[in-house]
Amino acid sequence: MACLLEAPLRISVLSEVTASSRHYVDRLFDPDPQKVLLGVIDMKNAVIGNNKQKANLIVLGAVPRLLYLLQQDSSGAELRTECAVVLGSLAMGTENNVKSLVDCHIIPALLQGLLSQDLKFIEACLRCLRTVFISTVTPVQLLYTDAAVIPHLMSLLSRSRRTQEYICQIFSHCCKTPDHQTILYNHGAIQNIAHLLISFSYKVQMQALKCFSVLAYENPQVSMTLVNVLVDGELLSQVFVRMMQRDKPIEMQLTAAKCLTYMCRAGAIRTDDNCIVLKTLPCLVRMCSKERLLEERVDGAETLAYLIEPDVELQRIASITDHLIAMLADYFKYPSSVSAITDIKRLDHDLKHAHELRQAAFKLYASLGANDEDIRKKIIETENMMDRIVSGLSESSIKVRLAAVRCLHSLSRSVQQLRTSFQDHAVWKPLMKLLQNAPEEVLVMASSTLCNLLLEFSPSKEPILESGAIDLLCSLTQSESPALRVNGIWALMNMAFQAEQKIKMDILRALSTEQLFRLLSDPDVNVLMKTLGLLRNLLSTRPHIDQIMSSHGKQIMQAVTLILEGEHNIEVKEQTLCILANIADGTTAKDLIMINDDILQKIKYYMGHSNVKLQLAATFCISNLIWNEEDGSQERQDRLREMGFVDILHKLTQSADPSLCDRAKTAMQQYLA
């Protein structure tokens, strides 16, 4: 019976709650405008800081009525303003509240309100719009639906400090794509916002600064323009440098550093410019210290990782600034038992977000170790570093897993570390596990790391092979993603390098000749190059060449012919001619070239080509075919003489290129011996 009683009980509680809220909504329909105004003011006071009350009023249908009153000219300026204030307060509640407001078409109503002449009403509408757009559930595209909105917002920037603050905040939250950047740029965002950086209001300065950071991000056009902007006679970059001074609020220092970082990465400021080396980089390193709040440390490390990612010199400078490498180790010990956090709310927040610190540290370690062997060594020697990476590869957060595998990839470029630390910690195990089931972004990075672990000098190569890597890599070559196809075939290419016959045959069997030839006609040139590299590695050492050509010779010769005839770049043709040179080095395999007039004519054509690399590779083929000490060399020499190859070789001995000249002379000596 208890079960039957529960439902009505719950309904009665709900009806009591809503009944206590209903009179607020009923007063919105009073025929006396003065009573309606007082009702809205009472509602405003009732919802401040009260999420339950906000939800009740939304359920009872307050929003459509408030929007109706807001849109009526007859409501009067004060009532319309108060309606906008209440709607803004409702939007500060839960995500569901914001969703309900957006579903009631609050955004077009508020944008329409901006056409009013009343400044207080305009400010209330902007404040409410700002609150709605800050929420992640609001589609930012709604700001760009009507082309007249952005220019109108630009025109309102001069009305008051509040309009400046709210509009800049709306722009910085709604600028998410290159298209959005272009729209704002084309409507004069830079000119209209630049002078706000020296506003007397800190809030206005900050929102203007945030605007510039989202406008400049990965945007060369905006960044190149920003470099030449003057604010009150001072270059914008110098304004940003001033904002990074230690006496400025942390939020300002960090955002100014982001602006300069993005301008630098977009190519507008050189990486060796003083404002980057002496100001931006040290400022970002300061943000990584344990005195800073969690989100500041995360932001600082991620921005620094982005700044130094492509530049070796900045990586070196960062690595020796303020003991950064050791400082980042603290990111993994947070919050520690002796943490100075006494605020329980802050501690609770930080415990929930501690994984973001680990993610940021992995990202920054990845950038620091991207090029320099000494830095990689320092990173790996940091306490428990390899254990931390191994743990990171199996964390529940996908972002941490991706950052950990990025870090591992960066460190795996080191021959020394592949031979030592990587082997000691068997990092291939969690990596192989990650490859079984992960989102594409993680798969790309993990398979790229695996390519390095399969290089011939890596001790991990053997156990990876034994753990079934061949089938896994062959399946990657069938992926829709070109990056995964490249990595799959690249790893197989590394695996086949100087491998024993059994491994080569296992690769061919698992890959299948159909798939191999599908990859040889792949539209992605990187896939094609790596497939040719795999074929070249498979066809090395005579017994292997002869065995593979005896079983797959016809198809391989067909593929070689198609590539040499096709519209391919020099590198592709050179790699293909090198495969032919390997085939020509076989004992029985070379007959497949000798009986193929079409291939011989192509070799002849490439010996006379204008590109030296192709001439060299083609001459190498002939040299292998006519080598004296091998069976049948006399017949092959005679046949190739008849076809005019000796004349071409003679001409090549006069080549200005020393390598080509030597190669041709060596081949000619086979005729003279």
Side-chain angles (χ1 to χ4, degrees), residues 475-501:
S475 68
L476 287 184
T477 69
Q478 296 177 16
S479 167
E480 292 287 306
S481 152
L484 284 178
R485 291 202 302 279
V486 167
N487 287 348
I489 204 76
W490 193 343
L492 289 169
M493 178 186 94
N494 286 352
M495 201 181 266
F497 182 74
Q498 293 182 353
E500 55 194 56
Q501 178 74 352

Side-chain angles (χ1 to χ4, degrees), residues 130-180:
R130 179 272 318 263
T131 308
V132 172
F133 275 121
I134 279 176
S135 170
T136 50
V137 299
T138 308
V140 296
Q141 205 48 44
L142 292 171
L143 187 69
Y144 304 94
T145 313
D146 179 349
V149 168
I150 300 296
H152 184 61
L153 287 170
M154 293 291 177
S155 72
L156 291 175
L157 275 168
S158 57
R159 293 292 299 272
S160 73
R161 282 187 197 166
R162 285 202 179 107
T163 64
Q164 291 167 349
E165 181 194 335
Y166 302 146
I167 291 169
C168 284
Q169 206 171 352
I170 290 167
F171 286 162
S172 64
H173 275 278
C174 296
C175 184
K176 302 284 187 197
T177 68
D179 285 346
H180 297 161

Side-chain angles (χ1 to χ4, degrees), residues 403-421:
V405 83
R406 262 204 191 132
C407 182
L408 191 64
H409 179 250
S410 182
L411 300 174
S412 73
R413 294 182 179 135
S414 160
V415 176
Q416 176 63 30
Q417 301 310 331
L418 282 175
R419 285 188 171 138
T420 54
S421 308

Side-chain angles (χ1 to χ4, degrees), residues 263-554:
M263 288 163 71
C264 178
R265 282 298 307 266
I269 301 176
R270 286 167 54 107
T271 53
D272 59 359
D273 191 297
N274 280 349
C275 77
I276 297 296
V277 178
L278 303 179
K279 301 291 181 183
T280 309
L281 188 147
C283 171
L284 290 169
V285 173
R286 283 202 305 274
M287 297 302 141
C288 299
S289 84
K290 56 176 160 208
E291 281 70 54
R292 303 271 53 88
L293 291 174
L294 178 139
E295 48 272 38
E296 293 161 0
R297 294 169 81 187
V298 169
D299 234 356
E302 293 197 341
T303 307
L304 183 56
Y306 182 66
L307 173 66
I308 66 175
E309 190 181 19
D311 191 87
V312 193
E313 203 40 48
L314 287 180
Q315 288 156 16
R316 287 186 185 133
I317 295 166
S319 74
I320 55 168
T321 303
D322 287 356
H323 308 289
L324 177 65
I325 291 174
M327 199 194 295
L328 286 176
D330 288 334
Y331 277 46
F332 296 95
K333 307 172 196 164
Y334 188 84
S336 67
S337 53
V338 292
S339 179
I341 305 174
T342 48
D343 177 351
I344 294 298
K345 253 190 180 172
R346 165 52 67 177
L347 185 62
D348 183 50
H349 167 273
D350 285 7
L351 284 166
K352 283 181 187 146
H353 295 269
H355 67 277
E356 290 174 21
L357 275 175
R358 295 193 291 279
Q359 176 196 334
F362 283 138
K363 274 189 188 171
L364 185 43
Y365 277 138
S367 283
L368 284 164
N371 297 288
D372 188 289
E373 190 63 30
D374 291 337
I375 298 175
R376 288 189 198 121
K377 192 168 180 295
K378 273 191 204 166
I379 292 171
I380 283 174
E381 286 170 358
T382 304
E383 51 180 318
N384 307 330
M385 191 61 207
M386 292 309 287
D387 292 333
R388 281 175 179 148
I389 294 174
V390 169
S391 305
L393 292 174
S394 49
E395 276 211 30
S396 56
S397 160
I398 188 69
K399 287 182 173 176
V400 177
R401 291 209 297 277
L402 178 59
V405 83
R406 262 204 191 132
C407 182
L408 191 64
H409 179 250
S410 182
L411 300 174
S412 73
R413 294 182 179 135
S414 160
V415 176
Q416 176 63 30
Q417 301 310 331
L418 282 175
R419 285 188 171 138
T420 54
S421 308
F422 275 54
Q423 187 57 15
D424 297 342
H425 291 80
V427 293
W428 62 270
K429 284 183 183 172
L431 198 62
M432 286 292 287
K433 195 177 169 195
L434 202 57
L435 281 163
Q436 312 292 337
N437 178 27
E440 187 180 310
E441 207 179 354
V442 177
L443 274 181
V444 169
M445 202 49 73
S447 54
S448 195
T449 310
L450 197 65
C451 289
N452 291 346
L453 294 182
L454 286 167
L455 290 164
E456 91 281 4
F457 50 75
S458 166
S460 307
K461 187 173 181 175
E462 203 76 14
I464 292 173
L465 268 167
E466 287 163 12
S467 69
I470 292 178
D471 290 332
L472 187 132
L473 295 169
C474 289
S475 68
L476 287 184
T477 69
Q478 296 177 16
S479 167
E480 292 287 306
S481 152
L484 284 178
R485 291 202 302 279
V486 167
N487 287 348
I489 204 76
W490 193 343
L492 289 169
M493 178 186 94
N494 286 352
M495 201 181 266
F497 182 74
Q498 293 182 353
E500 55 194 56
Q501 178 74 352
K502 182 190 176 301
I503 292 171
K504 291 183 179 181
M505 295 315 285
D506 285 348
I507 291 172
L508 270 173
R509 205 172 298 115
L511 191 62
S512 83
T513 39
E514 293 79 9
Q515 178 60 5
L516 182 66
F517 298 118
R518 211 174 287 131
L519 292 164
L520 285 171
S521 54
D522 197 286
D524 188 291
V525 70
N526 294 318
V527 175
L528 173 56
M529 276 299 280
K530 294 295 176 243
T531 309
L532 290 169
L534 168 64
L535 203 48
R536 189 174 168 182
N537 286 350
L538 290 171
L539 293 166
S540 63
T541 72
R542 279 184 187 168
H544 300 181
I545 295 168
D546 291 334
Q547 189 182 349
I548 290 169
M549 291 307 288
S550 69
S551 51
H552 301 89
K554 192 180 167 195

